[in-house]
Amino acid sequence: MSSGMRLRTLRPHRGDGFKAIWFLAPSLVGFAVFYFIPFLLGIYESLTDGALGGKFVGFANYMELFRSGSFRKAASNTMLFAGIGVPLLIALSLLLAMLLNRPLYMRDWLRTSIMMPLVVPVASIVMVWQIFFDWNGTLNALLHRFHLARIDWMQSNWSMSIIVVMYIWKNIGYNMILFLAGLQSIPRDYYETAAIEGAGRLHQFRHITMVYLTPTMFFVVLISIINSFKVFRETYLLAGDYPYDRLYMLQHYMNNMFFTLDIQKLTAAATIMVGCIVLLVSGLLGVERRFRDNVE
């Protein structure tokens, strides 16, 4: 191909790129002004000893943060919550997706009912759970009817389990829809061929379903991890500023630092949390890319 023809083929694509930049410019400016620049300013504040002209102290705030018992407790509770809630959510949503991908009676009604928590406001969800788990709530009334002792659910070791169940109930519908889309994109011919060759259900699940569902699985894992860091709203409305020790999350710690105007610890904790999320996302994307290359 001559140089003149190559230039003529490249010019339309270059023009499309400039047009795309013009269309993206308002969103890019908004993202920079309201997210990226404040985040960079927050990182700078975490390296100083005071807001508005503080002296640069390096990683002293981070060292003080790791020596804080409250921060360590919040970080361990957050990791425990994500470590329990995310695998349970993924397993249950995949199980529901595989069940509802089959011809069942009232299948459309079941899908709609499972998706309903997504459109319910958080305040309404919290009110329902407060009525159910309050000292004088529905669950304790049932225990009292069977002559069992009442339990202060939100001030006991059961509190983490309650938040995990709420997190699963709130997010299982969205993950189920994603898995359903992934399952329906797998050609039925693969299963028919495997069945003719004598492959059982477990073999088909491992070597067909899970292989072709892997891109969807990685996306669902990412979304579930991000949503696990957003459970603060429910926990805050359900248990308040200083909840039971088992419910004290990183967002509680940062929220309390904001009320005391300890901006350095707040920004340091936020930077650490964002860094952990970025590392998790980068690792998962790297594993997904390597798996896709091996499959191809």
Side-chain angles (χ1 to χ4, degrees):
M1 182 183 293
S2 64
S3 60
M5 293 178 64
R6 189 180 295 112
L7 286 175
R8 283 195 298 272
T9 56
L10 288 177
R11 280 171 187 166
H13 297 288
R14 192 172 299 171
D16 292 342
F18 283 116
K19 292 178 182 178
I21 291 174
W22 279 110
F23 280 110
L24 291 174
S27 298
L28 293 175
V29 171
F31 176 79
V33 171
F34 294 105
Y35 290 96
F36 187 67
I37 294 176
F39 179 69
L40 293 180
L41 293 175
I43 294 177
Y44 173 76
E45 291 291 339
S46 69
L47 301 174
T48 62
D49 62 354
L52 300 177
K55 293 188 298 183
F56 183 81
V57 294
F59 293 99
N61 292 319
Y62 292 89
M63 296 298 103
E64 186 178 354
L65 200 66
F66 286 117
R67 288 192 294 266
S68 171
S70 298
F71 176 79
R72 292 199 302 270
K73 180 190 301 179
S76 62
N77 287 339
T78 303
M79 289 188 291
L80 178 64
F81 172 80
I84 296 174
V86 171
L88 282 176
L89 173 63
I90 293 171
L92 291 175
S93 56
L94 178 58
L95 181 63
L96 275 177
M98 294 182 65
L99 182 64
L100 295 179
N101 195 37
R102 300 173 178 273
L104 294 175
Y105 178 68
M106 298 180 67
R107 183 176 62 178
D108 294 337
W109 182 86
L110 288 172
R111 289 179 180 177
T112 303
S113 62
I114 295 172
M115 289 292 297
M116 283 299 293
L118 286 175
V119 300
V120 178
V122 174
S124 301
I125 293 174
V126 170
M127 184 178 67
V128 172
W129 285 76
Q130 283 176 335
I131 293 172
F132 192 73
F133 289 104
D134 188 73
W135 176 259
N136 294 315
T138 306
L139 188 55
N140 277 331
L142 290 174
L143 293 177
H144 181 71
R145 177 173 297 181
F146 289 100
H147 306 287
L148 298 174
R150 294 173 182 264
I151 300 175
D152 191 356
W153 296 97
M154 300 310 300
Q155 297 296 323
S156 67
N157 289 330
W158 289 99
S159 55
M160 174 68 77
S161 302
I162 294 170
I163 299 300
V164 168
V165 173
M166 182 187 296
Y167 162 75
I168 293 174
W169 180 71
K170 176 70 176 174
N171 295 283
I172 194 170
Y174 181 68
N175 287 4
M176 181 196 71
I177 292 299
L178 294 176
F179 278 131
L180 271 174
L183 289 171
Q184 292 174 1
S185 66
I186 302 175
R188 301 302 305 173
D189 297 343
Y190 296 168
Y191 294 101
E192 295 173 0
T193 304
I196 292 173
E197 293 179 354
R201 292 287 182 87
L202 182 60
H203 188 275
Q204 293 179 24
F205 175 76
R206 290 177 55 190
H207 297 280
I208 298 178
T209 304
M210 291 307 299
V211 169
Y212 289 95
L213 205 62
T214 299
T216 304
M217 178 69 73
F218 278 107
F219 180 74
V220 171
V221 170
L222 289 178
I223 293 297
S224 301
I225 292 174
I226 293 172
N227 287 334
S228 70
F229 285 92
K230 295 163 58 178
V231 77
F232 168 71
R233 297 175 300 172
E234 292 86 347
T235 309
Y236 180 82
L237 292 174
L238 196 61
D241 295 347
Y242 293 92
Y244 185 69
D245 285 353
R246 184 63 73 183
L247 290 181
Y248 192 70
M249 305 288 185
L250 275 174
Q251 293 90 340
H252 284 97
Y253 180 84
M254 290 187 286
N255 187 64
N256 295 330
M257 291 301 102
F258 175 77
F259 280 125
T260 59
L261 296 180
D262 196 342
I263 305 301
Q264 279 62 51
K265 288 184 179 178
L266 167 63
T267 53
T271 303
I272 291 175
M273 188 175 74
V274 171
C276 291
I277 294 175
V278 170
L279 287 176
L280 282 172
V281 171
S282 301
L284 286 172
L285 290 177
V287 172
E288 193 270 337
R289 191 180 302 111
R290 186 175 302 175
F291 178 84
R292 187 173 63 246
D293 294 339
N294 291 335
V295 170
E296 293 176 354

